[in-house]
Amino acid sequence: MLVLEEIKKNKKSIAALYRLLSEREFNISHKHLPSFEKHENFVLNHPYRKWFFVKKDDVLLGTIYFQFDNSVGINLDFKKVDFSFVELFDLVKKKISPLRPVPSKVYSQFFINVPIKNKNLSSWLEEGGCISSQVSYEISEKK
């Protein structure tokens, strides 16, 4: 059975999140794995509205988080995912709703940021009926 388990600020969650982070193939917020201490500090002071473990039949598959601008981060091990985006979001809707929109600050519905090279996540979202609405580019300094 697919479940969303709210992440608690405890040692067990911190360790599980660090393991998932160290195994993750695609990252948006960092280029190198942070130290465990930095990770622990982040988890204890995270900026998310809500953050959940995604589990199926007691197997940890990844995480999903929701920010205050209605953006969503989905980090799943697609080698283990055998459910659809629709199934996941049916569970999400029972736990959280988008915040009211604020022009230029808070989008009117949930939206998902996807690393451009994460083709598995992109395909999974498109199969679930999501549409691509924009592409973000990073401005990097020439070295």
Side-chain angles (χ1 to χ4, degrees), residues 34-114:
S35 68
F36 186 84
E37 292 74 26
K38 285 184 179 181
H39 166 76
E40 180 177 39
N41 184 54
F42 179 84
V43 173
L44 295 174
N45 299 289
H46 71 78
Y48 306 138
R49 199 173 141 216
K50 291 283 185 181
W51 197 3
F52 299 96
F53 286 118
V54 179
K55 294 182 174 181
K56 185 161 185 192
D57 301 325
D58 292 322
V59 175
L60 180 57
L61 304 174
T63 63
I64 185 169
Y65 62 81
F66 300 83
Q67 298 197 76
F68 289 93
D69 63 353
N70 285 334
S71 63
V72 179
I74 298 175
N75 296 293
L76 296 172
D77 180 350
F78 279 97
K79 292 183 286 287
K80 299 177 184 174
V81 170
D82 65 351
F83 53 89
S84 70
F85 171 78
V86 172
E87 289 175 85
L88 178 63
F89 251 74
D90 282 346
L91 283 176
V92 163
K93 290 186 273 187
K94 294 175 184 175
K95 301 221 176 232
I96 189 169
S97 298
L99 293 171
R100 292 177 54 196
V102 176
S104 296
K105 291 185 179 183
V106 180
Y107 194 64
S108 62
Q109 55 197 320
F110 287 131
F111 65 97
I112 301 158
N113 292 314
V114 178

